[in-house]
Amino acid sequence: MAHDHNYYNALIAVADDCPVSSSVVPPERAGKPTVATVQYGLLVDKPFVHKQEDVLFLTWFERQDLGEKSAEEVAGLRAEFFAKPKPCLRTSPLAKQYGWGFAFNAEGFLKLCPVESAEYRELLDDDGVKTIKAMKASR
């Protein structure tokens, strides 16, 4: 059985050393999408559409510039992608630099949650929601 890379009833909280106190839309760099801009684009208007695995793979896929691929080819690339361990969204620049938490529901689907929002504070205080801190920028 394949390893499940998803979280359930959880919040990936912003890193303790996140430089912003309210969420910021990540900028592109040199006109190219960054990990942060791709993840933001996947999630900003689509709450609870993707699981962590989808976000990780689609972020990688979009940044590869592979052109059109068939569903079979994409499935093969996805299997190859997850054949090796991957860092989870705790390493996402959205949670480390830009003030976005990731809220996961019981089915493992996620949405962005701005650090300044009432919903974010409620999730932090909810005993039924596991809080996992994003990785710090510095060790």
Side-chain angles (χ1 to χ4, degrees):
M1 169 137 161
H3 179 71
D4 184 349
H5 296 87
N6 299 305
Y7 288 108
Y8 303 89
N9 290 325
L11 172 69
I12 293 180
V14 299
D16 288 334
D17 62 351
C18 182
V20 298
S21 56
S22 59
S23 57
V24 176
V25 175
E28 287 195 342
R29 201 175 302 130
K32 290 192 171 18
T34 64
V35 166
T37 60
V38 172
Q39 290 177 348
Y40 181 82
L42 284 170
L43 297 169
V44 68
D45 294 323
K46 298 179 202 83
F48 304 118
V49 170
H50 298 294
K51 292 186 174 188
Q52 173 171 257
E53 289 177 357
D54 304 323
V55 174
L56 296 174
F57 174 72
L58 292 169
T59 300
W60 172 84
F61 185 79
E62 193 166 316
R63 297 181 78 232
Q64 297 309 300
D65 199 20
L66 298 171
E68 289 297 311
K69 295 285 179 208
S70 71
E72 253 174 37
E73 289 172 313
V74 171
L77 287 167
R78 185 176 172 122
E80 210 174 285
F81 178 79
F82 284 112
K84 294 189 191 99
K86 295 287 171 240
C88 74
L89 288 173
R90 290 180 59 218
T91 65
S92 169
L94 291 177
K96 290 171 68 169
Q97 295 168 252
Y98 296 106
W100 296 95
F102 297 101
F104 295 84
N105 68 14
E107 289 79 45
F109 292 95
L110 72 131
K111 70 180 244 174
L112 286 176
C113 195
V115 68
E116 72 277 10
S117 69
E119 181 185 18
Y120 182 90
R121 287 189 299 280
E122 287 164 17
L123 288 167
L124 281 178
D125 293 338
D126 187 335
D127 291 337
V129 174
K130 180 178 180 177
T131 301
I132 307 115
K133 280 281 188 185
M135 306 292 262
K136 291 182 181 179
S138 54
R139 297 219 172 245

